[in-house]
Amino acid sequence: MPLLADWLLRHSVVMCLLLHSLVLMTFCFHHAATSCSKSCYCSQSEAGGKTVRCSNLRLTEIPQDIPNDTRRLYLDFNLLTTVPTNAFLQLRLLSELDLSHNELAQLEPSAFKGLASSLQFLDLSSNKLMTLNPEAFEGVQARANLTHNPWHCDCNLQNVMPHMNLEPASLAGIVCQTADPEDAGAQGTPFLLAKDLDLCAVLKKTTDVAMLVTMFGWFTMVISYLVYYVRHNQEDARRHLEYLKSLPSKQGKSEESSTISTVV
């Protein structure tokens, strides 16, 4: 009996240690996934979901340790210049993202990948965006604020903007700082509200002119070939005719033969 009790005691201690280690590891993994990012402030809302505020920290890169259960992320008033590929891939619950008042000039392809089903609001206002790369959004249809950026309005931007789910109140703040073509009348105007503005018209005209020039070039080549073919055939026909004329006539030969026969 003492041996049995000793054996049970030792194995109980081992089991307790294993269970304790398992609980500790689970806690550590959960803490790593849900703890707050360094230098940022985190809070839990009554409605559920974590809010992470990394505002005004002079960040030059998006933090890599943002908790996976973040629902609202504020990165405004920093020094971010780009949103790299897969920057928020692990934040599957993110519904609100504020990137306003940064130095953003570029959104790389797949920058917002993974947020198509969760993101509801995206703030990119007060940055240095001149154009938009549609490949950055990966199907994201969140309400977007794109005001106060130095937009370069051209045919590409005019084709991309209508596919964005823009806040109606923000349309007046999307103003062309530069435009292509320059004489289109877009510069200094909220071009999404200018119904008669068509920045693709010049491109269409250029394309039409290019097609006409190409067609004219092909037509000229065909005509040149036909003229060359006709002249070449005429020259061959003339040479053939001269060759035939240079041959002795069959009729002359037959007359000669008749004369010889008569003499004989």
Side-chain angles (χ1 to χ4, degrees), residues 36-79:
C36 193
S37 176
K38 183 180 179 181
S39 302
C40 298
Y41 171 75
C42 295
S43 62
Q44 200 78 19
S45 65
E46 296 180 358
K50 181 173 290 183
T51 298
V52 180
R53 295 186 180 276
C54 306
S55 306
N56 201 19
L57 296 177
R58 302 188 66 81
L59 298 175
T60 57
E61 295 182 350
I62 296 174
Q64 299 297 311
D65 57 348
I66 298 171
N68 294 344
D69 60 342
T70 301
R71 292 186 181 273
R72 286 165 291 276
L73 176 59
Y74 297 91
L75 292 163
D76 51 320
F77 290 97
N78 282 294
L79 303 175

Side-chain angles (χ1 to χ4, degrees), residues 62 83-89 92 94 97 99 104 106-119 122-124 129 132-140 164:
I62 296 174
V83 179
T85 300
N86 298 333
F88 308 102
L89 187 60
R92 300 289 181 173
L94 193 65
L97 177 58
L99 290 164
L104 293 177
Q106 182 182 11
L107 305 175
E108 296 184 5
S110 301
F112 302 108
K113 186 176 181 179
L115 302 181
S117 60
S118 63
L119 195 62
L122 175 62
D123 195 344
L124 291 168
L129 294 172
L132 284 179
N133 182 2
E135 296 180 358
F137 296 92
E138 290 280 337
V140 171
M164 300 294 296

Side-chain angles (χ1 to χ4, degrees), residues 254-264:
S254 60
E255 290 178 355
E256 253 181 54
S257 300
S258 301
T259 305
I260 294 172
S261 300
T262 305
V263 170
V264 173

